[in-house]
Amino acid sequence: MTASPRTAPVIAFRADASRRIGSGHVMRCLTLADALTAQGATCHFLCRPHDGHLIERISAHGHQVHRLPPAEEDHDEVASAVAGEDAPEHADWLGVEWPVDAEQSRHILATLRPDWLVVDHYALDARWETIVTPEGCRVLVIDDLADRAHRADLLLDQNLGRWASDYAGLVPEVCRVLVGPAHALLRPEFADWRDTSLARRQHPRLRHLLITLGGVDADNVTRQVLDSLSRCALPDDMRISVVMGATAPWLDDVRAQARRMPWPTEVVVNVDDMARRMAEADLAIGAAGSTSWERCCLGVPTLTVVLADNQEGVAQALADVGVARHLGDAEAFAETLPFELAACQEPATLASLSQAASRLTDGLGTGELVRHLISLPMEERHDA
């Protein structure tokens, strides 16, 4: 029997944000969801309300959110229960055992009958995807690690240095694998600001520094960066902008440090004009996460700080191709920062970094992925 065709595609997302997970997974899914909605799709998010979740932000974009039950209170007990040789390294990020999450998600997805299920979660793998995926639904996995199997029809890994062959044996042979920053999920304003940003870098000077170290920054690295900057030699007319998320636990501490800085330093929260702010910055100090591709699209010279183990490879790859200069992790950057800042006061250094960065992505990857997701006729997807 063939189900009645629908007039618009339905896309379901399984992604979480928390103080531990960070905001990047949900934010890149939100970028994709917004683009899909603009093409007529209806998007639903399945999220667990961890401490630091972004459920209200997703709802504010007009997408429906299905709240999974709160995580177990005893984190150590959950971690012990999911531990094992066959468990993903980040299995305890779910807050419950994965079969529990699968059963809870399966009921919701059976009702939604989505055309595509988008999975962006380091704690989930092929076992979960097999259980929850309704018949006729295709699966897009967004990953960065290449460390576990997936039941995917399409996989995106937007990281520099990744090869499709890294997923050989981890996905079905028929799975299409998209790799590299050219496919990065960026909001349309980054492509819109690209020409303006690149044009102003023809004669670079270091006068405006932008700091973006993640929406959460659970370890208060932003405060450490500001403290180290206060002891560096910078131009007298320097100004500093810090962008953070509203759920950042050390926000007040960062604001207090900003008031003590030798240069005018602003701290802004949950900005909706990040592309403009990046385009107007001469140099960024940023985490080696998803915002790396935003900066590359705009040709922003960057000093990268590693905030999580999975960012080390990206930071090193960026440094190897001359796109950014690698400061190290939170324990190392205080030593390297003064030397790297001195180098970035040379116009030639800023120009070289900008030109290399701008070649990695033009900011159009989201539109390409949307075409993949909505190109298959609806009636083909729901044949039963």
Side-chain angles (χ1 to χ4, degrees):
M1 179 182 296
T2 301
S4 299
R6 293 192 295 229
T7 58
V10 173
I11 317 292
F13 292 79
R14 178 69 186 94
D16 284 330
S18 74
R19 296 189 189 278
R20 185 176 183 210
I21 296 171
S23 59
H25 299 275
V26 165
M27 292 306 295
R28 64 187 177 188
C29 285
L30 191 55
T31 293
L32 178 57
D34 289 347
L36 286 162
T37 300
Q39 296 298 317
T42 300
C43 295
H44 298 255
F45 279 73
L46 283 66
C47 300
R48 200 171 298 281
H50 300 289
D51 183 23
H53 65 77
L54 294 175
I55 290 174
E56 284 75 17
R57 187 159 187 176
I58 298 170
S59 297
H61 280 242
H63 309 302
Q64 185 170 341
V65 182
H66 304 264
R67 288 178 178 246
L68 299 172
E72 300 290 342
E73 293 185 5
D74 191 335
H75 178 270
D76 291 337
E77 183 176 330
V78 172
S80 177
V82 301
E85 293 183 2
D86 61 345
E89 182 179 350
H90 300 83
D92 58 333
W93 280 15
L94 280 177
V96 299
E97 296 180 52
W98 75 262
V100 174
D101 191 287
E103 186 63 17
Q104 294 166 346
S105 300
R106 184 181 67 82
H107 285 294
I108 298 170
L109 294 168
T111 301
L112 294 177
R113 292 182 58 247
D115 301 289
W116 282 90
L117 168 61
V118 181
V119 184
D120 190 347
H121 208 304
Y122 292 168
L124 302 177
D125 60 16
R127 295 169 298 178
W128 183 95
E129 293 149 7
T130 300
I131 291 173
V132 307
T133 305
E135 186 174 1
C137 175
R138 296 190 173 197
V139 177
L140 161 65
V141 170
I142 303 176
D143 192 29
D144 306 288
L145 305 179
D147 68 345
R148 61 205 187 282
H150 291 290
R151 177 250 188 250
D153 300 281
L154 181 63
L155 184 141
L156 167 66
D157 186 326
Q158 60 190 18
N159 291 298
L160 182 65
R162 183 68 71 200
W163 300 92
S165 58
D166 293 336
Y167 286 93
L170 297 179
V171 296
E173 290 187 5
V174 296
C175 177
R176 182 167 186 176
V177 179
L178 306 176
V179 296
H183 303 286
L185 296 177
L186 305 186
R187 299 188 301 278
E189 56 262 34
F190 288 96
D192 293 343
W193 275 92
R194 177 174 166 86
D195 288 346
T196 299
S197 181
L198 296 182
R200 68 175 296 273
R201 301 181 195 286
Q202 297 302 311
H203 304 286
R205 295 173 67 235
L206 180 55
R207 293 296 181 270
H208 183 195
L209 177 62
L210 177 67
I211 302 173
T212 58
L213 292 169
V216 175
D217 187 16
D219 295 324
N220 202 14
V221 179
T222 303
R223 158 65 189 278
Q224 298 174 48
V225 167
L226 288 176
D227 186 54
S228 295
L229 280 172
S230 68
R231 298 188 294 273
C232 291
L234 291 172
D236 292 339
D237 57 351
M238 174 67 71
R239 61 189 179 96
I240 300 171
S241 298
V242 179
V243 177
M244 303 185 74
T247 62
W250 298 99
L251 185 55
D252 290 341
D253 192 52
V254 170
R255 284 172 169 156
Q257 177 63 31
R259 290 191 291 268
R260 295 190 290 267
M261 294 295 289
W263 310 276
T265 302
E266 66 170 349
V267 180
V268 293
V269 175
N270 280 3
V271 301
D272 56 8
D273 60 349
M274 180 63 88
R276 177 187 67 81
R277 291 175 181 275
M278 285 187 175
E280 294 177 352
D282 302 313
L283 176 69
I285 297 178
S290 298
T291 55
S292 296
W293 319 126
E294 298 172 353
R295 296 187 296 262
C296 285
C297 175
L298 299 176
V300 184
T302 301
L303 306 179
T304 57
V305 179
V306 170
L307 301 182
D309 291 343
N310 66 292
Q311 294 181 0
E312 176 60 40
V314 174
Q316 191 57 57
L318 289 169
D320 288 345
V321 296
V323 168
R325 299 175 78 105
H326 188 5
L327 293 177
D329 60 18
E331 296 180 357
F333 75 81
E335 182 176 344
T336 58
L337 184 58
F339 303 101
E340 296 296 352
L341 279 173
C344 288
Q345 293 184 55
E346 295 294 331
T349 300
L350 292 176
S352 176
L353 291 170
S354 177
Q355 291 163 11
S358 67
R359 289 193 287 267
L360 287 187
T361 181
D362 58 11
L364 301 179
T366 302
E368 178 191 359
L369 188 57
V370 167
R371 287 189 287 274
H372 280 294
L373 298 184
I374 66 175
S375 62
L376 186 64
M378 300 294 299
E379 50 270 24
E380 292 184 25
R381 298 175 192 157
H382 285 284
D383 285 348

